[in-house]
Amino acid sequence: MFNIIISNRMKRFFALIICLLMSVCFMITNGNAENDLFDGKKKIVVLDPGHGGHDKGAEGADGAFEKAITLSLARMIATELGSKYRAVLTRADDYLLGIPDRTAVANHRGADLFISIHVGGSFLHKASGITVYYFKEMSESDITFKGATSKTYNSDNDLTTWDNIQKRHVTRSKALAKSMQTQINDRIKHMETRIEGAPLVVLSGADMPAILIEIGYISNPGEEKKLRDTQILSEFAKAISKAIDNFLSEKN
Ligand SMILES: [Zn+2]
């Protein structure tokens, strides 16, 4: 009798466990399906931390590397964007990615935005400020182009290697650059934000609104100090994510 009672209890117990497991499995499966469905509708923002691996990018007098700052900032922006958007980093760690491969990530993902992140470097220690670049076949200023972009982004690329598909998005890329300028000026004090057109290869093949942002000059001791400050980098991340949100929320 005792055995029978135990056995029935055991049966009921196992039946209950199986029911619970099935319910949990259903909830998980169903939840993932809904999440996938929901994620599929999210706008995709591809963030491209410049340089990586043996390519350290520009280097500050105090030893800060551009490649580390760009990755930190990209991660912060992704966090700021939160669950409203799907943020994708072209590189998630300290390794090098070819320039065409960076743009390809955005194209293959069908991204709504592509943002390449860099830090300026110059032999002129006084060079300072933030520059937001959009793609333009001819640079607006030869001096700016040679000083701020040719060394860093075009050293191993010819301007003719891509088909300049970005040209069809330039109007919206400029609007995105303007949104960046407004938000950064609101949050980051004592650093001027410029907007410039330049024939940057990393932008030329992007089939969506795309910009390259250079957040200050690591070669300027004062700005290197700011770029090493997590608090200030976090302000940049907030400003950039706000600009992204404003831009993508507009009905275009
Ligand atoms: Zn760079």
Side-chain angles (χ1 to χ4, degrees), residues 2-16:
F2 183 74
N3 283 343
I4 292 168
I5 290 168
I6 293 298
S7 177
N8 283 339
R9 281 184 179 169
M10 288 294 278
K11 278 179 190 169
R12 282 201 297 274
F13 176 73
F14 282 125
L16 184 65

Side-chain angles (χ1 to χ4, degrees), residues 61 64 72 148 157 221 232 239 243:
S72 296
N157 288 272
I232 293 176

Side-chain angles (χ1 to χ4, degrees), residues 173-231:
S173 296
K174 279 185 188 176
L176 175 61
K178 183 70 189 159
S179 180
M180 288 286 158
Q181 185 185 43
T182 303
Q183 293 303 323
I184 292 170
N185 282 344
D186 272 2
R187 281 191 176 267
I188 309 291
K189 302 301 173 197
H190 312 300
M191 286 177 85
E192 183 202 353
T193 307
R194 303 171 288 267
I195 296 178
E196 299 207 13
L200 302 176
V201 175
V202 74
L203 300 181
S204 68
D207 193 13
M208 71 286 300
I211 56 162
L212 183 149
I213 183 162
E214 222 176 35
I215 53 155
Y217 277 77
I218 205 168
S219 46
N220 178 318
E223 293 199 349
E224 181 188 9
K225 198 174 170 188
K226 288 180 182 175
L227 293 170
R228 292 171 74 106
D229 186 328
T230 311
Q231 204 66 38

Side-chain angles (χ1 to χ4, degrees), residues 234-251:
S234 163
E235 288 300 310
F236 270 110
K238 286 180 179 139
I240 292 169
S241 63
K242 178 76 178 150
I244 291 168
D245 187 37
N246 284 353
F247 180 78
L248 289 177
S249 301
E250 285 172 8
K251 291 199 170 23

